[in-house]
Amino acid sequence: MKKLYKSTLYLSALAISASIFSACTNSNNTGSDTTSSVQRDSLIDYVARRLPIYEKVKLTTNINQLSVNDRKILPLLIQAAEIMDELYWKQAYPQRDSLLATVKDEKTRDFININYGPWDRLNNEKPFVAGVGAKPEGASFYPYGITKEEIEKSDLADKFGAYSVVQKDSTGKLSTVPYHVLFAAELQRASSLLKQAALIAEDAGLKKYLNLRADALVTDHFTASDYAWMDMKTNGLDIIIGPIENYEDKLFNARTSYEAYVLIKDKEWSKRLAKYVKMLPELQKNLPVAAKYKAETPGTDSELNAYDVVYYAGDCNAGSKTIAVNLPNDEKIQQEKGTRRSQLKNAMQAKFDKILVPISKELIDADQQKYIKFDAFFTNVMFHEVAHGLGIKKTITRKGFVREALKEQYSWLEEGKADVLGLYMVTGLLKKGELQGDIKDYYTTFMAGILRSVRFGVSEAHGKANMQCFNYFQEKGAFERTSKGTYKVNFDKFATAMNDLSAFIITLQGNGDKVAVEKAQKEKAIISAELQQDLDRLTRKNIPVDVIFEQGVDVLGVK
């Protein structure tokens, strides 16, 4: 079955590789050496323009805070994460080796590696290598060229499974293959590494989680390990690993991609954050939406923790880099126990210093630049993650969970909900005296954060969410674009727009109205020509769009 998957998945690989080869070498396929040379130069020129949008950052932390055993565990976790990176390549672009073999320019190879393929993830998935065509919406989760209708009409029991791929044999018959079968060898190696780490682990919670997660990788049964992960309280090390997010599946938003974060807990910061989770039920009751859309009670066993991240792999390392994580995604666990919101403090600080502050100096009104502060940025991001736990998980129209009802429209709307409800929570907690600071800091920094995130493009869930917020807030007069081409927040109207957009999104989710969500995306998740001109100014000023990491055992100084 594994062999069948490879043959169907690579069906177009030879044609694609041949086309890439003609575009990147002196092949006569284009008609002349001059033509292929022009194509080569065009590719090199594009990469030369795009590569500088990434700022290189070293992922380090003070490992002296770790015990001797934890320092022994760290390299094992990084090795397991590296395997997740290889698996993500197989999901996102299985033809990596054949593509890289045809590309001699080192910077182009670097750009391919950053994007996990030949599509520019921060430029609306634009293909930057000749011959590859548009990025398949279903990545490699589905047979090449298959339509949504074919999948929907099929009698596959696991047609929308999170941990399987759909295959088509030579007769056209569809079947599914579980990840743990498809990637058996790689997952067994990763599982063994986690087992080795568990043998050394001193913290009982970490030991239990590592063992259960090791078992989960080779069975695709993740529930027990998710519970164990939620139960960990005293660990210093952590690893988030496995097939988790479904952003890469743009066909149905169903199938998950492999990724890993290796984390070191900042226990002092985490202690400061712990109190906010207990406030979730009260915040839920006060949501600015009709009572039937806020009847659910959010779990209060959730945790807020701050970490230094020392390794990214796979999905979380592709395109825009994640700076906070809210897991597990299982709605049943969320309702019963809540989630863990992990703030990646060192990565967050890097984005603030290298990107958000320079953007603010260019695009935020001079009189309001004094309100751009890291504590506000950290808090806004933190409550974005907390806000995933608020609102509604099950539709009120008997369409099941919101995720199931909205399918490929779910992720971007959920990210939009978290953005605006996070700000709603900040506003409420400031009024109650549970947060310190000036509301102007939080609102202005939020505005700058939108201008940072929309540069990721609207092909990505967070980019769509930010553009919806930008356009909605602009219509409500929450900010104005001044004659100098800068943005100035109207603090009173900002709060009103926040409440109105919160109600709008939660209502869409609660109704499970996929058609209405599609309409909202087409109307609001777009970048206007005026805004694009402003974003282009940032590019001309050489302000990076995102970061890439120097990471690994050598950077950390562990063996």
Side-chain angles (χ1 to χ4, degrees):
M1 294 180 79
K2 187 185 296 185
K3 184 176 180 181
L4 173 63
Y5 165 77
K6 289 185 176 179
S7 65
T8 55
L9 185 63
Y10 286 90
L11 186 60
S12 61
L14 293 178
I16 289 174
S17 295
S19 184
I20 292 167
F21 190 81
S22 70
C24 302
T25 70
N26 287 325
S27 167
N28 291 323
N29 192 47
T30 58
S32 72
D33 288 347
T34 303
T35 304
S36 61
S37 177
V38 169
Q39 289 175 323
R40 263 203 322 278
D41 292 343
S42 177
L43 170 59
I44 291 171
D45 290 345
Y46 181 83
V47 170
R49 292 195 307 272
R50 295 294 291 165
L51 198 54
I53 72 171
Y54 292 95
E55 179 80 12
K56 192 170 285 187
V57 173
K58 280 190 176 182
L59 276 185
T60 59
T61 190
N62 177 19
I63 63 171
N64 293 325
Q65 63 184 298
L66 299 176
S67 69
V68 173
N69 276 14
D70 279 352
R71 273 177 273 174
K72 291 178 181 177
I73 290 173
L74 203 50
L76 296 172
L77 301 185
I78 290 173
Q79 288 176 54
E82 289 170 342
I83 294 172
M84 297 302 106
D85 204 67
E86 290 297 313
L87 290 178
Y88 180 68
W89 264 108
K90 291 185 176 185
Q91 294 179 310
Y93 192 72
Q95 303 93 338
R96 175 189 62 177
D97 293 343
S98 60
L99 171 61
L100 290 175
T102 66
V103 177
K104 305 307 178 187
D105 178 62
E106 198 61 37
K107 289 184 177 180
T108 302
R109 293 169 66 88
D110 288 345
F111 199 58
I112 290 168
N113 282 318
I114 288 169
N115 287 283
Y116 288 79
W119 299 285
D120 189 343
R121 289 175 179 266
L122 299 192
N123 191 16
N124 300 318
E125 305 286 9
K126 179 179 179 178
F128 58 86
V129 175
V132 299
K135 184 178 180 180
E137 288 188 327
S140 67
F141 302 116
Y142 309 93
Y144 183 77
I146 199 166
T147 64
K148 291 178 69 172
E149 290 72 25
E150 285 181 81
I151 300 291
E152 289 171 336
K153 291 178 181 178
S154 73
D155 58 0
L156 293 171
D158 195 33
K159 68 176 72 176
F160 303 127
Y163 310 118
S164 67
V165 299
V166 178
Q167 299 180 351
K168 182 188 287 187
D169 67 17
S170 58
T171 69
K173 183 180 179 182
L174 297 178
S175 62
T176 59
V177 180
Y179 287 176
H180 73 272
V181 174
L182 194 62
F183 306 122
E186 296 93 335
L187 293 172
Q188 187 57 60
R189 292 204 312 273
S191 177
S192 295
L193 288 163
L194 295 188
K195 292 280 189 181
Q196 290 177 51
L199 287 172
I200 306 171
E202 299 165 314
D203 183 85
L206 178 62
K207 184 185 290 286
K208 180 180 179 180
Y209 165 64
L210 289 173
N211 277 317
L212 287 173
R213 201 65 176 181
D215 294 338
L217 287 176
V218 295
T219 62
D220 292 329
H221 297 148
F222 292 95
T223 303
S225 64
D226 282 342
Y227 276 110
W229 185 68
M230 286 295 294
D231 288 339
M232 284 195 306
K233 306 294 183 187
T234 57
N235 55 305
L237 284 182
D238 198 353
I239 183 169
I240 297 169
I241 186 169
I244 299 171
E245 303 291 359
N246 46 27
Y247 301 123
E248 195 73 20
D249 178 6
K250 291 182 172 63
L251 203 61
F252 290 108
N253 203 228
R255 288 177 158 81
T256 53
S257 300
Y258 284 95
E259 66 179 352
Y261 305 81
V262 180
L263 307 167
I264 297 176
K265 186 185 288 185
D266 187 321
K267 294 186 177 180
E268 288 305 311
W269 271 74
S270 298
K271 192 180 297 181
R272 287 165 53 187
L273 305 179
K275 66 177 182 178
Y276 296 119
V277 175
K278 304 301 179 188
M279 301 176 185
L280 283 175
E282 182 181 352
L283 289 163
Q284 173 83 354
K285 289 178 183 177
N286 293 326
L287 287 174
V289 69
K292 61 184 177 180
Y293 294 101
K294 56 183 178 180
E296 296 175 2
T297 302
T300 56
D301 201 22
S302 299
E303 282 195 71
L304 284 175
N305 289 307
Y307 297 87
D308 278 344
V309 54
V310 296
Y311 203 86
Y312 283 78
D315 187 70
C316 61
N317 197 42
S320 59
K321 307 304 183 291
T322 305
I323 53 177
V325 187
N326 177 55
L327 293 171
N329 285 329
D330 187 317
E331 290 92 345
K332 293 179 181 178
I333 299 176
Q334 289 179 7
Q335 288 182 320
E336 182 179 336
K337 294 185 75 70
T339 59
R340 173 173 288 136
R341 285 86 174 192
S342 306
Q343 314 303 302
L344 311 184
K345 189 162 60 69
N346 56 343
M348 206 179 291
Q349 185 76 60
K351 290 205 183 191
F352 181 81
D353 294 340
K354 304 288 187 182
I355 302 173
L356 192 74
V357 170
I359 286 175
S360 301
K361 289 178 178 177
E362 184 66 25
L363 292 184
I364 296 297
D365 185 78
D367 291 340
Q368 294 187 344
Q369 287 180 19
K370 61 189 175 186
Y371 300 128
I372 305 295
K373 295 179 181 176
F374 177 72
D375 280 354
F377 181 57
F378 181 93
T379 303
N380 285 342
V381 174
M382 174 178 72
F383 282 109
H384 165 102
E385 298 304 330
V386 175
H388 279 299
L390 291 181
I392 192 164
K393 300 297 180 186
K394 277 189 174 180
T395 64
I396 63 169
T397 52
R398 298 184 180 180
K399 294 180 181 178
F401 285 111
V402 175
R403 184 188 296 270
E404 297 166 349
L406 298 185
K407 294 187 171 66
E408 78 280 0
Q409 294 294 328
Y410 170 80
S411 288
W412 81 270
L413 191 66
E414 174 62 21
E415 293 303 331
K417 180 203 82 173
D419 281 342
V420 71
L421 284 190
L423 195 64
Y424 155 81
M425 294 177 72
V426 167
T427 304
L429 291 171
L430 277 170
K431 289 178 179 177
K432 289 169 60 68
E434 297 290 351
L435 270 180
Q436 303 302 311
D438 188 335
I439 192 64
K440 294 177 181 178
D441 296 347
Y442 295 96
Y443 284 5
T444 310
T445 302
F446 183 89
M447 183 71 219
I450 292 177
L451 295 170
R452 177 186 72 87
S453 295
V454 298
R455 297 177 79 200
F456 299 152
V458 293
S459 67
E460 188 264 349
H462 298 81
K464 288 186 177 78
N466 277 276
M467 277 317 306
Q468 180 193 42
C469 187
F470 179 93
N471 288 322
Y472 195 97
F473 275 40
Q474 187 173 44
E475 288 177 7
K476 297 289 184 179
F479 62 85
E480 64 171 310
R481 186 180 183 276
T482 70
S483 59
K484 295 179 180 179
T486 58
Y487 292 84
K488 187 173 185 178
V489 173
N490 181 314
F491 298 107
D492 292 333
K493 291 183 178 180
F494 215 78
T496 301
M498 169 192 73
N499 286 332
D500 290 349
L501 183 55
S502 297
F504 176 70
I505 292 177
I506 296 172
T507 301
L508 284 177
Q509 289 184 321
N511 292 342
D513 190 342
K514 188 165 176 282
V515 173
V517 177
E518 289 170 345
K519 183 174 183 287
Q521 181 190 325
K522 289 176 182 176
E523 293 178 352
K524 293 291 191 292
I526 53 174
I527 298 177
S528 69
E530 181 180 67
L531 175 59
Q532 188 59 58
Q533 289 175 359
D534 293 334
L535 299 180
D536 290 343
R537 280 163 49 198
L538 302 178
T539 301
R540 289 195 296 273
K541 293 280 187 176
N542 296 316
I543 297 172
V545 177
D546 207 46
V547 293
I548 52 175
F549 301 118
E550 293 180 27
Q551 57 179 1
V553 292
D554 292 337
V555 174
L556 284 172
V558 295
K559 297 295 182 183

